[in-house]
Each structure stands twice: as structure tokens, then as C-alpha cells.
Amino acid sequence: MIRYLKEIRSEALGIHRLFAAKAGAEHISSPIGLHVLLNICEEIKPKHVLEIGAGIGTLSYSRLKYTDAQVDMFDENAFCQGQLK
């Protein structure tokens, strides 16, 4: 896996660092997952995204920061809901 890290977008690494330091970060997306999401958003340019199971907001943050999409998030976990605010 280390050899692939050299190819990951710096934005993905920065987002991962930001959220890895937060409470509840044990299940956030990997830098590779964030890298792929950013590439998909760049290619598809979504206008509206529904995220079910938003966790602490790592993927939602990525879409909101790097697209003009409207993002609707849901998570049933009370802790995660508090983090999304």
C-alpha cells in the first residue's frame, strides 16, 4: 500500500489528516477512498448527493469542499449526528 500513497491527491491526504484527528475517526474513509471520491466528483460533477450513513462527515466534507453539489446527509447514530453539525 505504501507505494500507492505517492500517487494519492494531496487534497485527499489533507482531508484524511483533518478527520483522523477527530473523535469517532476510527471508521473514516481511507486516503485512497477519498482520492477516488474526489476523482469521481471531478469527472461526474454531481449536482445533488444523498449520503446515508454519513458518519462524522469525512466524505460529505470532501464533496462540499470540491464540488458545487447539494449534499443531504443522514446518520442514525447520535454521536455522528453531533459531529455533522
Side-chain angles (χ1 to χ4, degrees), residues 21-84:
K22 295 180 180 272
E26 50 277 343
H27 300 293
I28 65 171
S29 179
S30 68
I32 293 170
L34 292 165
H35 171 86
V36 170
L37 175 68
L38 293 173
N39 286 344
I40 289 170
C41 286
E42 197 172 82
E43 182 180 326
I44 295 174
K45 297 178 181 35
K47 298 292 183 212
H48 192 108
V49 176
L50 172 62
E51 182 174 5
I52 299 173
I56 62 171
T58 310
L59 298 177
S60 301
Y61 174 87
S62 301
R63 285 187 297 271
L64 289 168
K65 184 164 175 76
Y66 292 101
T67 72
D68 292 329
Q70 176 184 337
V71 178
D72 292 314
M73 300 168 270
F74 171 79
D75 201 295
E76 66 182 359
N77 181 285
F79 174 80
C80 292
Q81 289 172 359
Q83 296 300 305
L84 292 173

